[in-house]
Every structure is written in C-alpha cells, then in structure tokens.
Amino acid sequence: MKKRIMSGMRPTGKLHLGHYLGVIDNWVKLQDEYDCFYQVADWHALTTKYDNTEDLKQNVIDIVSDWLACGIDPERSTVYLQSLVPETAELHIYLSMITPQNWVERDPTLKDMAKILKSKEGFASQINYGLMGYPVLMTADILLFNADFVPVGIDQVAHVELTRDIARRFNNVYHTDFFKEPQPLLNNCSLICGLDGNKMGKSFNNDIKISDTAEVTAKKVMSAITDRSRMRKDDLGHPDECEVAFKYWKIFGTETEINTVRCECEKGQRGCADCKRQLGAKINERMAEIRDKRSYYEQHPEIVEEIIREGSKKAQIEAQKILGEVRNLVRMF
Ligand code: TRP
Ligand code: SF4
C-alpha cells in the first residue's frame, strides 16, 4: 500500500514561478511514490473573498490548468474541488466540536489574515465565523483522506501542526487510533524571490506567471534587479550582491553556466542587459513545454472541467469511506 499525500491551494488566480518551484514541482515528483490527493480549496477562498465570487469559477479552471501544465497527472493523482466533496463539511462539523477555541485563536496564519482584515472598512473588517474555522476546515481536508504527509510551504506548517493536535484529540475523545497524525513535507528548494527582490506575489506586481508568454517573461526578466553598484558594463560586478538576476541564474542555470556568469561578471566582461537577456532565454527554455500544455488547456476548458468533476467523484468515494467510519466512532445515528 502506497502512503498517502494530501495538499491543496486556494484558487486566487493564475500561479507564478514561486508556486511552481516552491510547491507544484514537488507535488509532481511525489506522484511516483505516493497516492496523491490534490485539492482546490474553494471554500477556503470564500473565507476572505465571500463578497468577491465573480471570478471564482474561472480561478478554479485556471489553477487546475496550471497544475496540469506543470505535470500533475490526473491518471495517477486525484485532482478535485473541495466543494464537490461536501463530506469535507460534515467532517469539519465533528472536528469543530472537539477543537478548543484557543487552539484556532493562536493560529499564526489566521492572525496575519485578521490583521489585513482589520485595516479594511465596515463589515469587511469583521472576522467572520467561517474564517475562524479556516484551520479546522483545512484539518478536515487532510483527515478526510487520513493522509500520511502534507507537502506545503513553510507558511502552512503551523496548520499541519494543528491538524496533528486535532487528530490526537479526536482519537482521545473517541478512544480510537483511527486518525493518523499527518506530517508536513517541506520542499528543500530555496524560495524564488520576486523581480524586485521581495517575496514573489501577484499583489506585489513582481511575479512571473506560469501562463506568461515567452515575450512577457523575457521582458519581465529585463526588469529584474541586479548589482546596484554597477553603472557600466565593464564595472567589476558582484554576483552575490546581484539581488535578483544572479539568484535566478542559480535556480535556472547549469553549474557551468552559473560559473561562467560569475567569472564574467566579476571581471567586468558581462553587461547586465546581456546577462538578463540570456537569463530570460534560459527561463523560457525551462518553461516552454509547460507553456504549450498550459495554452492547450486554456483552449479546452471543458477538458479541465471534466478532469475536476471526475477527480471529485473519485475523491468522494474515498471520503465517504472515512466519513462512515467517523460517524460510527462518534456514534451518530
Ligand atoms: N491553506 C492552504 C493555503 O492557503 C490551502 C489548503 C487548503 C491546504 N486545504 C489544504 C493545504 C489541505 C494543505 C492541505 O495554501
Ligand atoms: Fe547580475 Fe548578471 Fe549584472 Fe552580474 S552581469 S550583476 S550577474 S545581472
């Protein structure tokens, strides 16, 4: 029996290279060894975007298109939509009964979200009941498949810790060892920064999207920050102080290429514009196949929708098994 993986993402728009290198590429590799469940967390999106749902459907299609393009394979992995597996909501109810309020209140991610909300006006500044349940809902996602591992970014690790706590509490309360305590799986790849040197994020306008064309990508790369002390092409450069471009080289270049860039830069034999033109081409080379697949799915949203519906049916069958057992353990009617 293969061990189980469960992970998810909120559908908040097209994904960028940070998502690809930081999370999805890892998901793709895990498919060989594990039984994987990959979920689009549309209810989680609603916890903060409940009043802004006009793009929700398209965002679901977009995110799954990105996943498929990157190599998530619906033949091997179960790709599904949270709200099409409503068993999630029922498990959320049982778990919410046994989760102390202060466990969710100390959740750091929730605290950050609360800070953002507080800066808004009127009703939008309220923290709703549903948002408070965010980490419990995520726990339901994970436990609904009794997953062994949860591959996530560092920002989600606290949630997985809470999942372990809730699983343990459930087992104690109902005198069982039914739920496993899932472990977070961190990806060892270093985080790619945005074009301006800050964290890559779509709201910062410093990202390169998986779905960006080769032209757009090349143009964006030309705007990447370099060694700020360099004015002219033959000034001696400092790759380690080249805030963005050299970091990208270290991610996308071969060892030989990285060494060449370093030497030429240090000796003043390489201009930043040329350097970034080459870098853009390098990134485009790596993204070419993904981009072709991405545009195929963009032209065939009905195929993407079918994959989501089929995957959700498959997920539901598994979910019903686990939920049936939970209902027994809680001694529901
Ligand atoms: N909270 C996660 C995020 O914002 C998304 C998510 C929802 C998730 N359910 C999950 C991640 C279950 C891992 C497992 O990125
Ligand atoms: Fe950075 Fe390349 Fe310019 Fe050197 S030549 S500072 S590595 S962009």
Side-chain angles (χ1 to χ4, degrees):
M1 268 286 273
K2 282 183 176 174
K3 296 245 181 199
R4 247 188 209 176
I5 293 264
M6 191 276 147
S7 196
M9 274 187 195
R10 280 171 296 159
T12 53
K14 292 179 173 156
L15 300 181
H16 53 61
L17 293 187
H19 297 114
Y20 170 52
L21 298 167
V23 183
I24 304 169
D25 199 34
N26 196 28
W27 287 11
V28 170
K29 292 181 186 130
L30 291 166
Q31 297 180 115
D32 298 331
E33 227 185 294
Y34 297 95
D35 182 20
C36 300
F37 289 79
Y38 295 132
Q39 179 214 64
V40 182
D42 56 345
W43 280 333
H44 277 109
L46 279 190
T47 60
T48 53
K49 299 248 161 80
Y50 53 85
D51 58 345
N52 187 1
T53 50
E54 63 271 21
D55 297 332
L56 190 55
K57 270 190 200 155
Q58 187 57 44
N59 285 346
V60 170
I61 297 282
D62 278 341
I63 200 171
V64 174
S65 304
D66 281 331
W67 291 358
L68 297 170
C70 291
I72 299 293
D73 174 6
E75 298 289 319
R76 285 186 292 159
S77 300
T78 308
V79 175
Y80 69 102
L81 183 61
Q82 187 178 35
S83 67
L84 288 181
V85 184
E87 286 76 7
T88 309
E90 188 175 339
L91 182 57
H92 178 217
I93 293 266
Y94 300 125
L95 299 177
S96 70
M97 302 303 167
I98 59 151
T99 304
Q101 186 173 330
N102 64 355
W103 286 13
V104 293
E105 278 168 357
R106 61 169 190 246
D107 182 277
T109 315
L110 212 60
K111 280 189 185 159
D112 290 346
M113 285 185 178
K115 239 183 253 160
I116 296 171
L117 288 180
K118 275 193 194 125
S119 68
K120 297 194 175 176
E121 312 236 306
F123 184 74
S125 69
Q126 295 287 324
I127 297 167
N128 290 337
Y129 174 61
L131 179 61
M132 286 310 293
Y134 190 109
V136 187
L137 182 58
M138 182 163 152
T139 298
D141 290 336
I142 299 167
L143 297 186
L144 190 57
F145 298 97
N146 222 344
D148 299 279
F149 298 105
V150 188
V152 282
I154 188 93
D155 60 315
Q156 297 293 318
V157 170
H159 284 144
V160 183
E161 292 299 332
L162 183 69
T163 298
R164 294 164 60 84
D165 292 341
I166 295 176
R168 199 174 316 124
R169 158 102 18 149
F170 182 96
N171 288 347
N172 281 332
V173 169
Y174 297 108
H175 310 293
T176 176
D177 57 4
F178 180 65
F179 281 128
K180 294 178 189 163
E181 289 180 33
Q183 284 171 15
L185 266 192
L186 275 170
N187 179 352
N188 51 13
C189 124
S190 63
L191 225 55
I192 185 170
C193 64
L195 294 160
D196 58 1
N198 297 315
K199 184 178 177 221
M200 188 178 278
K202 79 165 174 177
S203 45
F204 310 130
N205 234 319
N206 66 358
D207 64 348
I208 300 174
K209 302 256 193 303
I210 294 170
S211 49
D212 279 341
T213 61
E215 292 72 35
V216 170
T217 303
K219 204 166 150 218
K220 284 185 175 178
V221 172
M222 292 309 286
S223 76
I225 307 256
T226 61
D227 173 359
R228 292 178 204 261
S229 70
R230 261 188 126 197
M231 306 306 251
R232 296 201 332 259
K233 177 177 163 155
D234 48 6
D235 287 344
L236 304 188
H238 311 85
D240 295 318
E241 279 150 51
C242 174
E243 278 177 56
V244 179
F246 192 63
K247 287 189 185 149
Y248 283 12
W249 270 114
K250 288 200 266 187
I251 294 172
F252 292 97
T254 62
E255 201 146 340
T256 326
E257 286 164 341
I258 299 167
N259 283 333
T260 309
V261 173
R262 178 185 283 286
C263 285
E264 291 183 1
C265 175
E266 283 172 345
K267 290 187 196 143
Q269 293 167 347
R270 164 177 284 262
C272 291
D274 279 341
C275 186
K276 289 194 282 188
R277 236 184 311 277
Q278 279 180 27
L279 174 63
K282 195 74 209 162
I283 297 176
N284 278 332
E285 201 181 295
R286 163 96 176 252
M287 298 308 290
E289 196 189 323
I290 292 177
R291 208 172 268 142
D292 286 350
K293 273 168 93 180
R294 181 70 179 71
S295 77
Y296 170 80
Y297 288 117
E298 193 155 349
Q299 282 152 31
H300 298 283
E302 73 287 352
I303 294 180
V304 180
E305 182 171 339
E306 184 61 17
I307 288 171
I308 295 169
R309 292 198 185 280
E310 283 305 309
S312 301
K313 274 189 214 153
K314 229 169 92 191
Q316 213 174 3
I317 292 170
E318 259 331 287
Q320 278 164 0
K321 288 187 205 156
I322 305 262
L323 189 62
E325 194 56 40
V326 170
R327 290 183 61 112
N328 282 338
L329 288 165
V330 182
R331 299 176 195 267
M332 299 308 292
F333 189 76

